[in-house]
Amino acid sequence: MEEVPQGCPGTGSAQAGRGASCQGCPNQRLCASGAGAAPDPAIEEIKEKMKTVKHKILVLSGKGGVGKSTFSAHLAHGLAEDENTQVALLDIDICGPSIPKIMGLEGEQVHQSGSGWSPVFVEDNLGVMSVGFLLSSPDDAVIWRGPKKNGMIKQFLRDVDWGEVDYLIVDTPPGTSDEHLSAVQYLSAAHIDGAVIITTPQEVSLQDVRKEINFCHKVKLPVIGVVENMSVFICPQCKKESQIFPPTTGGAEVMCQDLKIPLLGKVPLDPHIGKSCDKGQSFLTDAPDSPATLAYRSIIKRIQEFCGHHPPKEEHLIGS
Amino acid sequence: MEAAAAEPGNLAGVRHIILVLSGKGGVGKSTISTELALALRHAGKKVGILDVDLCGPSIPRMLRAQGRAVHQCDSGWVPVFVDQEQSISLMSVGFLLESPDEAVVWRGPKKNALIKQFVSDVAWGQLDYLVVDTPPGTSDEHMATVEALRPYSPLGALVVTTPQVVSVGDVRRELTFCRKTGLQVVGVVENMSGFVCPHCAECTNVFSRGGGEELARLAGVPFLGSVPLDPELTRSLEEGRDFIRDFPNSPAFPALSSIAQKVLSQAPARLS
């Protein structure tokens, strides 16, 4: 790294790249173009847009296929069962948008109005947005590099007309890359309540989930807690338990103890969950007595309690 | 690292390259990559595994190679040998991290740069097969990998799915990706295909059934087989054991062996 020239006006200054002392500096062109100066204006725009959204929850996992979308969808369903609670579900998995299918909204299209894009409504109080709605065929692949994906996420956050929302749930793809950085960056001025992290019991998942928790710490995203999915399988025939995904290193329980993070709950593996998702129906209403439903409901309650106990800093909301 | 553009390249000694892809996460790409490599090794082949999942590098643990160091030689990085006989070598970002919990929080361009290095700057030597394990999706890693491997004419892609519609929905997009990038599909593997209860032998379709075979049929690509859920397989991967050698009577073994056989029969005879 070369030394900063003497008399450098600073990269954020109006004189950046233009001052006399900028001549010969390797960053002169960059500064003169204004690139180093202001942060993305979208961040303020999104902050404004998010003023009507009381609580924002990210659903994350370092690992793929652990049930993020399944959980996001059922968190949305569960919260929306109270018709006075307005719920929004945003799917920022650009390459593998599962939410339309899981919510029974495949084939729906997004409409534009004067106030922006309209989400697709499952119920009056449950609106959904996903790149899936922008694709014309189920075979269409979104083969985009990072910057284009980031642009889409910015649009989703800035241009969707969510209206007055109590909970915005953001479903993410696996990993710790563009989508996650963009979501956190664009929402940085708008206060995210926290992240729910999904895992399955085995170490192969946990090792990725620890990275995700690390990511949350790095970007100062509060962790609401961890959900262990596909915990145990109960045979529908003999009712005996099997561990299909064995917790060889103690599962989420030990990981949460080690990292001092709440374990929100464990959801058993119920074949009906997958079936409900494939049919686009709420598993909570399809199988109200399943141990998995009871587990989901308990977890949802804990998340609501977390949001209730950690009100947004900037605004003092009148209790609903 | 210097560009190896002028030289024959570090992949010159690799006879067949096969990618393992899926639009969907968590369907078993790394599992299938690992078991395929083990099965090919047991068939007497020399195998390399290139793990281009930079955010979630699973392969080192699956082969009990966590924490190993990567050394350099004149031609670049030396891949890590996971066995005494040096019949399976592995390169993964997992080896380059200071701690296993360290998150690789990179945007696309930085990921692309490392993948290019992994393809051109790893001294693979003579290999019968190079298995390339990928993260889920159709984005930077996949485009960078396909572009970097194009000059070496990969055999094609093994596309992994689980039976249910939600998975198949994503995997259809991966097949489109293969079509658009000119990558031949060697076949579709359906993983997590049913679970046989060890107590009463009842088979439950935990993640539904039939989606993989149907997908292959609709897309006009070969269906390579269904692998059932098998806790012994999961446990082997957790502990870095050789499932193919140690559990020949386990439910997943026949399907995994059959898939390896089909891959072996696919490879056209090539002059070295």
Side-chain angles (χ1 to χ4, degrees):
Chain A
M1 290 280 264
E2 272 124 323
E3 279 177 44
V4 170
Q6 258 201 324
C8 165
T11 52
S13 141
Q15 284 300 304
R18 298 189 177 89
S21 42
C22 298
Q23 298 297 329
C25 173
N27 284 334
Q28 183 188 17
R29 239 214 277 136
L30 194 65
C31 285
S33 71
D40 192 333
I43 294 176
E44 275 303 304
E45 290 170 325
I46 290 167
K47 179 184 179 183
E48 273 309 300
K49 202 72 186 219
M50 289 289 139
K51 282 198 164 135
T52 57
V53 177
K54 285 199 192 120
H55 300 292
K56 299 157 211 76
I57 299 166
L58 263 59
V59 179
L60 303 174
S61 178
K63 186 84 184 68
V66 296
K68 286 177 292 312
S69 298
T70 303
F71 182 80
S72 300
H74 288 90
L75 176 59
H77 277 305
L79 290 169
E81 278 174 3
D82 170 12
E83 57 190 29
N84 294 318
T85 303
Q86 298 295 320
V87 182
L89 177 56
L90 172 59
D91 176 10
I92 61 168
D93 188 340
I94 309 286
C95 295
S98 305
I99 295 285
K101 173 103 222 132
I102 296 175
M103 299 300 284
L105 297 172
E106 251 193 341
E108 293 284 342
Q109 300 281 302
V110 166
H111 301 285
Q112 285 209 16
S113 72
S115 37
W117 290 357
S118 303
V120 178
F121 284 90
V122 178
E123 312 280 350
D124 286 340
N125 65 334
L126 176 45
V128 180
M129 180 55 67
S130 165
V131 83
F133 299 136
L134 306 174
L135 302 171
S136 38
S137 142
D139 292 317
D140 278 354
V142 180
I143 309 174
W144 291 354
R145 292 187 188 276
K148 209 163 169 185
K149 291 194 285 186
N150 299 338
M152 184 89 265
I153 292 168
K154 188 194 314 196
Q155 279 199 278
F156 277 162
L157 291 169
R158 187 190 58 197
D159 298 341
V160 172
D161 182 23
W162 295 109
E164 299 279 337
V165 168
D166 293 289
Y167 292 94
L168 170 65
I169 300 157
V170 183
D171 184 35
T172 64
T176 48
S177 187
D178 288 274
E179 295 88 332
H180 314 85
L181 285 167
S182 294
V184 169
Q185 183 191 14
Y186 290 129
L187 286 170
S188 55
H191 179 80
I192 304 172
D193 289 65
V196 176
I197 312 224
I198 314 290
T199 186
T200 46
Q202 76 274 42
E203 177 60 24
V204 160
S205 291
L206 297 174
Q207 76 182 1
D208 285 351
V209 167
R210 286 191 202 97
K211 293 182 205 285
E212 197 73 21
I213 293 171
N214 238 310
F215 166 81
C216 291
H217 292 327
K218 258 188 187 168
V219 300
K220 300 191 180 23
L221 180 56
V223 175
I224 301 176
V226 172
V227 173
E228 184 184 87
N229 212 4
M230 306 193 203
S231 232
V232 88
F233 172 72
I234 299 167
C235 179
Q237 178 84 335
C238 68
K239 312 295 180 207
K240 295 217 174 92
E241 284 187 6
S242 295
Q243 282 181 328
I244 297 184
F245 301 111
T248 57
T249 55
E253 199 155 351
V254 170
M255 180 188 73
C256 286
Q257 271 166 16
D258 286 345
L259 300 177
K260 301 194 180 22
I261 284 175
L263 175 63
L264 295 175
K266 299 199 221 184
V267 184
L269 186 47
D270 184 334
H272 292 110
I273 299 178
K275 287 206 178 77
S276 294
C277 288
D278 278 358
K279 286 190 286 182
Q281 286 165 204
S282 167
F283 171 75
L284 305 176
T285 42
D286 278 357
D289 301 319
S290 162
T293 299
L294 301 174
Y296 270 133
R297 288 201 184 286
S298 152
I299 292 165
I300 292 171
K301 200 150 171 273
R302 288 188 68 175
I303 293 171
Q304 282 176 293
E305 283 164 5
F306 178 91
C307 291
H309 287 138
H310 294 78
K313 287 188 196 123
E314 296 101 305
E315 282 144 82
H316 297 284
L317 298 166
I318 298 164
S320 42
Chain B
M1 286 286 138
E2 280 171 339
E7 307 161 32
N10 277 315
L11 289 176
V14 176
R15 295 183 71 202
H16 307 295
I17 299 171
I18 187 157
L19 281 76
V20 181
L21 304 174
S22 179
K24 186 85 183 65
V27 297
K29 289 177 288 309
S30 299
T31 299
I32 297 291
S33 298
T34 300
E35 300 308 321
L36 177 62
L38 289 167
L40 291 172
R41 190 262 294 269
H42 285 296
K45 305 295 178 190
K46 251 194 125 199
V47 186
I49 307 175
L50 174 56
D51 177 6
V52 300
D53 188 342
L54 304 182
C55 295
S58 305
I59 309 268
R61 184 175 192 93
M62 291 180 172
L63 289 167
R64 213 181 281 183
Q66 318 93 291
R68 300 276 296 276
V70 169
H71 302 288
Q72 291 201 15
C73 68
D74 289 338
S75 334
W77 285 331
V78 181
V80 171
F81 288 104
V82 306
D83 59 334
Q84 292 250 347
E85 303 81 22
Q86 300 200 336
S87 47
I88 297 187
S89 54
L90 167 60
M91 181 51 70
S92 167
V93 80
F95 298 134
L96 307 177
L97 301 173
E98 296 210 349
S99 119
D101 295 344
E102 192 185 320
V104 172
V105 186
W106 293 351
R107 290 194 183 270
K110 209 164 168 182
K111 293 195 282 187
N112 296 342
L114 184 60
I115 288 172
K116 282 203 186 96
Q117 277 200 278
F118 272 176
V119 171
S120 61
D121 295 344
V122 173
W124 294 106
Q126 300 295 319
L127 290 179
D128 294 298
Y129 288 88
L130 178 64
V131 177
V132 184
D133 184 33
T134 63
T138 49
S139 189
D140 292 273
E141 296 90 330
H142 313 84
M143 289 190 259
T145 304
V146 170
E147 274 166 33
L149 289 174
R150 204 183 291 281
Y152 305 97
S153 307
L155 197 59
L158 226 61
V159 179
V160 185
T161 185
T162 51
Q164 80 259 56
V165 179
V166 168
S167 287
V168 168
D170 282 347
V171 178
R172 287 171 80 164
R173 305 186 205 280
E174 198 73 21
L175 291 173
T176 302
F177 171 84
C178 292
R179 237 182 353 258
K180 285 196 164 169
T181 53
L183 191 56
Q184 200 213 342
V185 177
V186 170
V188 169
V189 171
E190 182 185 271
N191 201 14
M192 306 200 199
S193 220
F195 175 65
V196 176
C197 176
H199 306 286
C200 70
E202 163 93 351
C203 179
T204 307
N205 292 315
V206 181
F207 298 114
S208 197
R209 57 178 279 218
E213 195 159 5
E214 177 75 1
L215 174 67
R217 197 179 60 79
L218 284 173
V221 297
F223 180 63
L224 298 184
S226 308
V227 184
L229 281 161
D230 182 345
E232 288 294 4
L233 174 61
T234 318
R235 200 174 277 278
S236 290
L237 293 157
E238 291 276 282
E239 295 166 2
R241 295 184 66 169
D242 185 340
F243 174 82
I244 302 287
R245 182 191 66 199
D246 295 344
F247 297 102
N249 297 319
S250 206
F253 180 86
L256 291 170
S257 298
S258 156
I259 289 163
Q261 280 308 310
K262 290 184 178 145
V263 168
L264 283 163
S265 66
Q266 288 270 333
R270 283 213 192 173
L271 300 169
S272 46

